Amino acid sequence: MSYSKLRNFHEAQWDEPVIFEESVPGSRSMLIPDVSGAAEPVTGDVNSLLPAGLKRARKPALPEMAQPQVLRHYLRLSQETIGQDINIDIGLGTCTMKYSPKINEQFVRSPKFAEMHPYQDDSTAQGTLKVIYDFEQIMKEISGLDAVSFQAGGGGQGIYANAAVLKKYFRDRGEENQRTQIITTILSHPLDSAAPATKGFEVISLYPDANGYPSLENLKAVVSEKTAGIFITNPEDTGVFNPIVRQFVEVVHEAGGLCVCDMADYNGLFGLVRAKELGADMCHFNLHKAFSSPHGCMGPGCAAQCVSADLEKYLPRPRVRFDGESYYTDYNGPSSVGKIRQFQGSLAAVLRAYAWVMSLGRDGLKTVGETAILNNNYMMKRVLSEVRGISMPWSEEAPNRLEQVRYSFEKLLEDTGVSAEHVNRHMLDFGFQRFFPSHHPLIVPEPYTPEPTESYSKDDIDEYVSALKKISDEAYSTPKVVLTAPHNGPISPLENDSIEHVDQLAVTWRAYQKQNGSH
């Protein structure tokens, strides 16, 4: 059988040791002058300025290597890595893996930006403060809301920051002890449950009906005088758009609650729908996803937290203001929820997103949304018609999807014993990124949720679908090939794919050595 566009892939495999194992005592990559005998500075003894608890008792146990060995080590590791710049990086839905223009990276790495210090005087940071302020105005237009903060370090923190604002809002109204419940949907992002729960709210989750989203009747059954608000992702992580979301919001508003929209799945809505039109009092966007700033191992996360005018006073501090002549940092705000993270947040993500939006403009952003929807529906048509053993839940009542689809490989598992996770691992053998199938809980059995953003061409999508088709055919003809994958890369299946006890966790080399009796 012919699989169009499918290339022969085999990745480098170096069996590269951990860098500490390559250490050779006495080796050096550079020689640093000995300054131990230098005269003390005129300000006095520097050592006396450090508290005793901050002084090292011994030198750090760092690997000792010459420059060629350092270069070989990291270049070999880079050859065992795939990502947006190497392969067709169609990743997990909601992660929105897309191309980040390299010129934006030049802006971020410029010494004019990279060497800024958060404590330097505002008069010396006017350019950076202007970027923050101007991008706030842009995000106000994109969201339709009235005030913005970039302090949150990712989607989870953005949701948590909105939960903190909600808590403070009802505290000021004397309703904190009454408004104790948050409503969400089970197929919204899991952090729409976790973040409010972390802030002390009781969370009620609504399940979908045959349309792929909860009914208005189910919502009305749980709304009460205890309702503080609804946290909802729309479209949900399945790609299903809730067309009655405004009715949801009206029910919650009538009960005295607020609406918080999770815009993590916004890539198919650019230029088409705003949070304001959804009825949101608050929302957040992920700059490290839909707004093209790289994320995961490639860069830090950043959430744009957007709120209505009457909630602005609760936003994290500091804020950036403009008095008509200069930009300045404003730490005042007695009603603020305080800091969500240090300083102004991940400004590298803000600058990349600002440059990306400015390069596209209003019409370009709309094209992003339209192309994302087109790509996803093209992939959906091919997958459902050509890949055996796959299905799309709620397809009869809700046949349309926006920017992603949560498919199910349940039939493939029943027919062949090959699960969605086996498919996922075998995709590595064709040069595609492995991603975890979906968020918990697994409402969709054997879930598989790719998101072909606007960055991918028709040829890219064709190659991706060809790999899925080949894997499905192998599952029915030679399932052992799929069950024992991956074969063509530097990794193999783990003996255990989960950690049951905390004493099995080793996140540093020192912890690993202790665990294995080396120290």
Side-chain angles (χ1 to χ4, degrees), residues 157-171 195-196 199 201 231 282 305 314 316 335-338 340:
Q157 276 198 341
I159 301 168
Y160 178 82
N162 281 330
V165 168
L166 192 68
K167 192 87 166 179
K168 192 75 183 295
Y169 171 77
F170 283 115
R171 182 180 302 162
K199 202 60 188 170
F201 289 102
F231 281 61
M282 292 182 275
Q305 179 190 7
Y314 300 113
S335 298
S336 170
V337 297
I340 298 299

Side-chain angles (χ1 to χ4, degrees), residues 376-384 392 399 401 405 407:
N376 181 57
N377 281 269
Y378 173 72
M379 174 184 277
M380 181 177 73
K381 183 176 177 62
R382 284 207 58 194
V383 165
L384 293 177
M392 185 177 74
R401 296 293 185 271
V405 178
Y407 301 99

Side-chain angles (χ1 to χ4, degrees), residues 199-210:
K199 202 60 188 170
F201 289 102
E202 176 190 356
V203 178
I204 300 171
S205 296
L206 301 177
Y207 281 69
D209 61 11

Side-chain angles (χ1 to χ4, degrees), residues 20 23 28 54-64 510:
F20 286 91
S23 178
R28 294 289 183 272
L54 295 181
K55 296 179 182 177
R56 285 188 174 275
R58 64 183 68 88
K59 293 180 180 180
L62 300 175
E64 299 176 62
R510 184 179 298 175

Side-chain angles (χ1 to χ4, degrees), residues 477-496:
S477 60
T478 52
K480 186 177 179 180
V481 173
V482 189
L483 293 171
T484 56
H487 307 286
N488 299 338
I491 62 174
S492 57
L494 295 173
E495 293 181 8
N496 59 315

Side-chain angles (χ1 to χ4, degrees), residues 196-375:
T198 303
K199 202 60 188 170
F201 289 102
E202 176 190 356
V203 178
I204 300 171
S205 296
L206 301 177
Y207 281 69
D209 61 11
N211 294 313
Y213 52 86
S215 68
L216 197 59
E217 290 69 27
N218 285 345
L219 173 67
K220 290 178 178 179
V222 298
V223 169
S224 71
E225 69 280 355
K226 295 182 179 180
T227 302
I230 182 169
F231 281 61
I232 188 168
T233 307
N234 195 29
E236 294 191 315
D237 287 356
T238 56
V240 175
F241 184 84
N242 182 345
I244 59 171
V245 64
R246 284 303 299 264
Q247 296 176 56
F248 273 47
V249 174
E250 288 169 5
V251 169
V252 173
H253 279 168
E254 287 173 4
L258 300 182
C259 173
V260 183
C261 277
D262 181 337
M263 309 301 284
D265 297 340
Y266 190 68
N267 207 51
L269 299 182
F270 275 112
L272 303 173
V273 177
R274 302 192 303 174
K276 180 179 181 179
E277 279 72 54
L278 295 176
D281 300 291
M282 292 182 275
C283 73
H284 87 275
F285 298 85
N286 291 326
L287 301 188
H288 55 288
K289 294 182 179 182
F291 288 78
S292 97
S293 185
H295 59 295
C297 296
M298 299 178 286
C302 180
Q305 179 190 7
C306 309
V307 302
S308 59
D310 55 342
L311 299 175
E312 178 177 7
K313 63 183 179 180
Y314 300 113
L315 283 177
R317 292 298 188 268
R319 302 286 308 287
V320 174
R321 311 287 191 187
F322 181 58
D323 62 12
E325 294 183 0
S326 61
Y327 302 89
Y328 64 96
T329 307
D330 179 12
Y331 282 88
N332 295 321
S335 298
S336 170
V337 297
K339 282 184 174 292
I340 298 299
R341 63 173 294 158
Q342 290 180 321
F343 307 111
Q344 299 284 358
S346 301
L347 287 188
V350 173
L351 180 55
R352 290 191 193 97
Y354 172 75
W356 183 75
V357 170
M358 292 296 287
S359 70
L360 290 168
R362 185 189 300 269
D363 293 342
L365 288 176
K366 186 177 181 181
T367 301
V368 166
E370 292 171 340
T371 306
I373 294 172
L374 177 65
N375 278 356

Side-chain angles (χ1 to χ4, degrees), residues 18 20-21 503-519:
V18 175
F20 286 91
E21 294 179 329
D503 58 4
Q504 295 178 307
L505 186 64
V507 296
T508 67
W509 172 247
R510 184 179 298 175
Y512 176 78
Q513 286 183 307
K514 287 181 178 178
Q515 216 179 71
N516 289 272
S518 301
H519 275 328

